Amino acid sequence: MAEVLVLVDHANGEVKKPAAEMLTIARRLGEPSAVFIGPGAETATDLLARYGAEKIYAVSDPAAVEHLVAPQAEILAQLVQEKQPAAVLIPSSASGKEIGARLAVKTESGLITDAVDVQAGPDGPVTTQSVFAGSYTVQAKVTKGTPIICVKPNSAAPEQANGAGAFEELSVTISDGAKAAKVTAAEPKKATGRPELTEAAIVVSGGRGTGGDFAPVETFADALGAAVGASRAAVDAGWYPHTSQVGQTGKQVSPQLYVAAGISGAIQHRAGMQTSKTIVAINKDEEAPIFELVDFGVVGDLFQVLPQATEAVKGK
Ligand SMILES: Cc1cc2nc3c(=O)[nH]c(=O)nc-3n(C[C@H](O)[C@H](O)[C@H](O)COP(=O)(O)OP(=O)(O)OC[C@H]3O[C@@H](n4cnc5c(N)ncnc54)[C@H](O)[C@@H]3O)c2cc1C
């Protein structure tokens, strides 16, 4: 069976959730091989094997991660040439998409970004994406070279499988060109104790309807172990950080559950959340457009509904 390379998403060696999701997807397409670039691969071996990685290709040379994304694209290109994989799966983050684009140029292959699903087709992987601000769902496949697919977080529920996890440290050549820019300082973001917005399985977002009081949104989010998002109206008002904005010009999220509280459902907001698996809205206006796309809608005041919902969750 052909190998499927999965670029492991990690922060300083700590494997992030999308890696397990992408290994699960890779098993539909062939034999998953994890590619771990940067220090810390040894400690990740068990986890990657648990999600089905038959092989783990590691590059622990710090130069591979000190020079933005160019070295990672070079390493993957060398692997593609050597292993002729059935596909390469890369996290669909900003840096992942840049790695994918560089890899596609180097290997003269087609690239698909923002896939929310990937399935095996008769002649290669078939992906699903939500495009044009979410107004179309399309299926696509790569028709040239090695399919390079950037996969959004939460595109599959991680399933465990016993992979062999055979560890191989690669000796790679990183060109001087790929080392042209260097990260000179990195400061980790202050931890909120909540999951990363784009990776969270549950997102609770607040909009203008909060009137600037996000306390009930945060309390409900914490009861569910969810990330907190916000509409642009809320972030433009200075009520919540811009990094939490969900939508066309904010973050694109696709969690298992998305709760919109006091958000009207403008097309630009929908563009960032309508691929969520289950959508719940709380809005006091029964005519609010958000109700057109919800699985469950509550017509009511979020300041009454959210505390009750929090109590119900905690009382479970
Ligand atoms: C180019 C462009 C890009 C944009 N990008 C984005 C984007 O990325 N993300 C984004 O979100 N927007 C974006 N917008 C803005 C978007 O068009 C809307 O203006 C915005 O989403 C509205 O935010 P809102 O739903 O919080 O506010 P509103 O539209 O004002 O809706 C507030 C809702 O809260 C309800 N409400 C009020 N009080 C309560 C209460 N106590 N309890 C329950 N419900 C209550 C109201 O009934 C109303 O439906 C963009 C706009 C443009 C032009």
Side-chain angles (χ1 to χ4, degrees):
M1 209 193 291
E3 279 183 70
V4 177
L5 301 181
V6 173
L7 180 62
V8 175
D9 198 5
H10 68 94
N12 300 319
E14 196 184 314
V15 175
K16 294 183 161 187
K17 193 166 119 292
E21 297 164 2
M22 291 201 299
L23 285 167
T24 304
I25 290 174
R27 293 209 304 277
R28 300 173 190 157
L29 313 174
E31 204 165 80
S33 295
V35 183
F36 192 107
I37 303 178
E42 291 86 354
T43 50
T45 306
D46 285 353
L47 188 142
L48 296 173
R50 211 176 324 128
Y51 285 97
E54 295 296 338
K55 293 185 185 148
I56 297 164
Y57 299 122
V59 179
S60 47
D61 179 359
V65 284
E66 279 170 4
H67 298 276
L68 308 179
V69 297
Q72 299 190 52
E74 280 198 356
I75 291 163
L76 284 175
Q78 288 168 41
L79 268 173
V80 167
Q81 201 176 22
E82 213 175 290
K83 312 286 178 194
Q84 301 288 315
V88 183
L89 306 183
I90 298 175
S92 206
S93 56
S95 55
K97 285 190 252 191
E98 189 182 342
I99 293 170
R102 286 171 181 265
L103 177 63
V105 171
K106 284 179 198 298
T107 58
E108 297 189 11
S109 298
L111 166 72
I112 292 172
T113 59
D114 290 330
V116 291
D117 190 22
V118 187
Q119 295 291 342
D123 45 353
V126 179
T127 65
T128 304
Q129 297 109 267
S130 171
V131 300
F132 296 134
S135 38
Y136 287 86
T137 299
V138 296
Q139 261 84 45
K141 64 180 181 153
V142 166
T143 55
K144 184 167 186 267
T146 304
I148 298 166
I149 302 169
C150 294
V151 184
K152 285 177 85 164
N154 293 307
S155 293
E159 285 164 22
Q160 298 202 2
N162 284 331
F167 189 86
E168 192 182 325
E169 176 74 38
L170 300 180
S171 74
V172 289
T173 329
I174 301 170
S175 71
D176 287 345
K179 292 184 191 160
K182 188 169 178 176
V183 178
T184 53
E187 203 176 300
K189 200 169 68 179
K190 270 199 209 99
T192 59
R194 299 194 179 101
E196 190 64 38
L197 185 56
T198 50
E199 287 167 18
I202 307 177
V203 174
V204 182
S205 289
R208 206 195 306 268
T210 62
D213 180 3
F214 263 65
V217 172
E218 290 183 330
T219 311
F220 184 53
D222 290 342
L224 291 168
V228 175
S231 72
R232 179 153 151 186
V235 305
D236 281 352
W239 298 340
Y240 228 67
H242 277 279
T243 47
S244 303
Q245 184 184 319
V246 172
Q248 189 182 330
T249 45
K251 301 252 168 75
Q252 318 267 308
V253 301
S254 197
Q256 299 295 326
L257 171 64
Y258 186 87
V259 182
I263 293 177
S264 61
I267 180 78
Q268 297 90 351
H269 186 80
R270 292 177 183 208
M273 46 63 78
Q274 65 184 6
T275 54
S276 306
K277 310 292 176 292
T278 301
I279 299 172
V280 175
I282 302 147
N283 196 303
K284 64 182 187 186
D285 174 12
E286 63 177 26
E287 302 285 329
I290 190 87
F291 287 130
E292 290 162 16
L293 81 159
V294 298
D295 297 283
F296 301 102
V298 182
V299 178
D301 184 338
L302 68 92
F303 292 99
Q304 286 173 11
V305 176
L306 283 179
Q308 288 177 47
T310 305
E311 281 315 307
V313 169
K314 282 185 176 163
K316 246 190 8 174

